[in-house]
């Protein structure tokens, strides 16, 4: 029997199979006709009869697959994306799934800076389904400027010195310009995927200054 881990029932009685898919113990049956049922996960069940009439009976049964496979392309922006099938991580694109039962399955693909993809695929008996979903960009290339020498911070994380350019996912951000001996300046900005290129000016940090009073006796030049 193939696969070797199938379940075998003869006239209502289960029998164990060895790693070769053969009945693991010598089976002696009286002459007559017997019914059998063979089943395995992700295979089509097979039922039938055989007859014993004083001679050895040999039967070879290969169950027909009730499963297939899914192949996710790794072309373009799909490369490296995390692929989930039925909410189970199967790897990073490009990736081919293990055995999937025939029928409909959910596919979820996650990649930084792109909108999460969610869809369904149909798996067919003994076949590999090819899938190349489109990922939609969810980021913009943002340039942040302030006075020369200032440090640029995005949501509290230092990104570099002014001017700084980088990719930011859609969302609300706090942009800061910091400089030693100066008060931090900041603006709040909502970033969306359109336009794809954006630029913002952060006010120059204001110098921290004070006054010094000297008193001397006798009167003198300072």
């Amino acid at each position: 029997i193939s696969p070797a881990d199938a379940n075998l029932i003869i006239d209502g009685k289960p029998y164990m199979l060895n790693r070769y898919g053969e009945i693991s113990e010598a089976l002696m049956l009286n002459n007559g006709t017997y019914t059998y049922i063979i089943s395995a996960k992700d295979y089509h069940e097979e039922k039938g009869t055989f007859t014993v009439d004083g001679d050895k009976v040999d039967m070879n049964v290969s169950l027909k697959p009730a499963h297939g496979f899914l192949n996710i392309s790794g072309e373009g922006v799909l490369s490296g994306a995390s692929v989930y099938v039925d909410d189970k991580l199967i790897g990073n694109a490009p990736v081919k799934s293990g055995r999937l039962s025939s029928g409909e399955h959910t596919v979820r693909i996650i990649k930084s800076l792109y909108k999460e993809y969610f869809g369904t695929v149909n798996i067919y008996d003994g076949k590999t389904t090819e899938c190349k979903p489109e990922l939609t960009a969810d980021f913009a290339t943002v340039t942040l400027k302030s006075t020369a020498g200032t440090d640029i911070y995005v949501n509290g994380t230092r990104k570099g010195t002014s001017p700084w350019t980088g990719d930011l996912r859609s969302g609300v951000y706090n942009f800061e310009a910091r400089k030693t001996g100066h008060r931090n300046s900041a603006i709040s900005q909502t970033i969306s995927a359109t336009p794809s290129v954006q630029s913002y000016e952060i006010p120059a940090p204001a110098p921290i200054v004070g006054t010094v009073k000297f008193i001397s006796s006798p009167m003198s030049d300072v």
Side-chain angles (χ1 to χ4, degrees), residues 46-210:
E46 182 168 323
K47 298 179 181 179
T49 62
F50 64 89
T51 300
V52 176
D53 190 17
D55 293 319
K56 180 180 178 180
V57 178
D58 280 318
M59 293 186 64
N60 293 308
V61 178
S62 292
L63 296 182
K64 294 179 180 179
H67 65 265
F69 303 89
L70 174 65
N71 188 55
I72 300 291
S73 166
E75 296 180 19
V77 298
L78 281 173
S79 179
S82 300
V83 180
Y84 293 79
V85 177
D86 298 331
D87 291 326
K88 181 180 179 181
L89 178 66
I90 66 169
N92 296 327
V95 62
K96 183 175 181 179
S97 73
R99 195 170 72 191
L100 297 174
S101 58
S102 298
E104 189 175 87
H105 295 266
T106 61
V107 175
R108 187 161 56 97
I109 299 178
I110 298 175
K111 186 174 183 179
S112 178
L113 301 180
Y114 289 84
K115 292 182 179 179
E116 181 176 318
Y117 172 86
F118 183 85
T120 59
V121 295
N122 286 308
I123 301 298
Y124 301 96
D125 293 353
K127 296 183 179 180
T128 297
T129 299
E130 299 289 338
C131 185
K132 184 183 176 182
E134 296 285 341
L135 296 185
T136 303
D138 191 30
F139 69 94
T141 300
V142 177
T143 297
L144 301 176
K145 301 177 182 178
S146 190
T147 54
T150 56
D151 292 323
I152 301 299
Y153 284 74
V154 177
N155 287 348
T157 300
R158 185 182 182 277
K159 295 295 185 178
T161 57
S162 175
W164 171 84
T165 299
D167 295 331
L168 295 178
R169 187 165 191 159
S170 297
V172 178
Y173 291 87
N174 185 58
F175 300 142
E176 285 184 275
R178 301 181 186 181
K179 188 175 183 179
T180 302
H182 292 67
R183 291 185 174 86
N184 299 342
S185 62
I187 59 173
S188 181
Q189 187 66 45
T190 299
I191 300 298
S192 62
T194 54
S196 59
V197 177
Q198 303 175 30
S199 180
Y200 299 97
E201 187 81 26
I202 304 174
I208 300 174
V209 297

